[in-house]
Amino acid sequence: AQSVTQLDSQVPVFEEAPVELRCNYSSSVSVYLFWYVQYPNQGLQLLLKYLSGSTLVKGINGFEAEFNKSQTSFHLRKPSVHISDTAEYFCAVTPLRGGADGLTFGKGTHLIIQP
Amino acid sequence: DTGVSQDPRHKITKRGQNVTFRCDPISEHNRLYWYRQTLGQGPEFLTYFQNEAQLEKSRLLSDRFSAERPKGSFSTLEIQRTEQGDSAMYLCASSLRDPFNEQFFGPGTRLTVL
């Protein structure tokens, strides 16, 4: 079984400042990792994913994340945030052996951009 | 490509009633997933289909929950004898056969049980 911990339920950041949203996971097997974003009144949208290869992954809207196997982390970063980044961000994992188990999500982090 | 659609978007029902939700995946996607999301939580995986075959259903929350995908296209999720604890957002997602492809999520059906 897998579990995902997002350490911050809310992160307030000033516009144009950098941000890091933290994600740690626990699993007895190797996993693939994802970050999804949920804008107000919209469905979940994939930001980025780590399957293999380079541990630094770039996604849409200027976001990137770094996979750290030893620390079982997959933190999301953006160097300069905008008001439009205000949303709920979810970290998720799925086991390598296949998609049958679906995605296991964290509880989410609400990113609040202050002008 | 119109994306994943779900119907209805909102459902209010009385405790003890049965409800059924529909999900229409992206047309070429043969994998379909159902999730439940309660307030302040991330989505929770419920069940999964590849074409018409339900390959994982042990995560369904109780025997009151069931899902079908009879022709490998749209899917339905039914909750029998609803309880107030069933109030949540029910999400559907679809993807291509490769399990590591992106899951595209629908807007969800919000269920309120009075």
Side-chain angles (χ1 to χ4, degrees):
Chain A
Q2 296 79 43
S3 67
V4 176
T5 302
Q6 291 184 243
L7 297 165
D8 306 297
S9 60
Q10 280 192 118
V11 173
V13 182
F14 286 107
E15 196 174 11
E16 298 184 6
V19 69
E20 178 179 83
L21 305 183
R22 296 180 292 170
C23 171
N24 288 86
Y25 69 93
S26 173
S27 176
S28 56
V29 299
S30 296
V31 295
Y32 294 108
L33 301 110
F34 306 82
W35 275 98
Y36 279 82
V37 60
Q38 190 171 35
Y39 297 106
N41 300 315
Q42 293 187 30
L44 288 159
Q45 179 182 359
L46 182 69
L47 270 180
L48 49 80
K49 61 186 177 185
Y50 175 76
L51 305 182
S52 64
S54 172
T55 56
L56 183 63
V57 179
K58 294 190 182 298
I60 62 171
N61 300 340
F63 284 93
E64 64 181 31
E66 186 154 21
F67 170 56
N68 187 318
K69 188 174 182 179
S70 63
Q71 297 187 3
T72 61
S73 68
F74 189 52
H75 301 332
L76 182 70
R77 302 186 186 102
K78 186 170 183 177
S80 175
V81 297
H82 303 285
I83 288 287
S84 59
D85 293 323
T86 297
E88 194 81 19
Y89 291 80
F90 294 95
C91 182
V93 302
T94 193
L96 259 65
R97 59 181 169 85
D101 286 354
L103 292 165
T104 299
F105 284 86
K107 291 185 177 182
T109 297
H110 188 196
L111 179 60
I112 302 168
I113 310 301
Q114 301 169 327
Chain B
D1 177 4
T2 57
V4 178
S5 62
Q6 293 187 245
D7 184 69
R9 294 291 304 276
H10 304 273
K11 178 70 176 179
I12 300 174
T13 191
K14 293 182 179 179
R15 188 174 49 189
Q17 297 295 305
N18 298 344
V19 294
T20 299
F21 309 139
R22 177 179 170 127
C23 171
D24 287 87
I26 294 171
S27 57
E28 64 267 28
H29 286 183
N30 54 11
R31 293 195 169 194
L32 187 148
Y33 302 80
W34 284 100
Y35 294 82
R36 182 182 78 160
Q37 186 177 17
T38 54
L39 199 61
Q41 302 294 319
E44 176 186 12
F45 171 67
L46 297 179
T47 189
Y48 142 77
F49 292 85
Q50 181 165 305
N51 299 314
E52 65 276 9
Q54 190 173 13
L55 299 186
E56 174 64 65
K57 56 182 178 181
S58 65
R59 305 284 189 88
L60 287 168
L61 300 163
S62 77
D63 58 6
R64 297 184 296 107
F65 287 72
S66 63
E68 293 184 342
R69 194 183 184 197
K71 296 183 180 179
S73 57
F74 73 91
S75 175
T76 57
L77 177 70
E78 181 181 17
I79 309 174
Q80 295 182 330
R81 306 181 302 283
T82 53
E83 301 173 357
Q84 287 186 326
D86 297 332
S87 296
M89 179 75 86
Y90 291 85
L91 301 172
C92 175
S94 70
S95 73
L96 292 169
R97 188 175 186 278
D98 182 339
F100 318 120
N101 269 334
E102 176 181 352
Q103 288 186 28
F104 290 79
F105 282 81
T109 294
R110 182 168 295 284
L111 173 65
T112 302
V113 182
L114 303 177

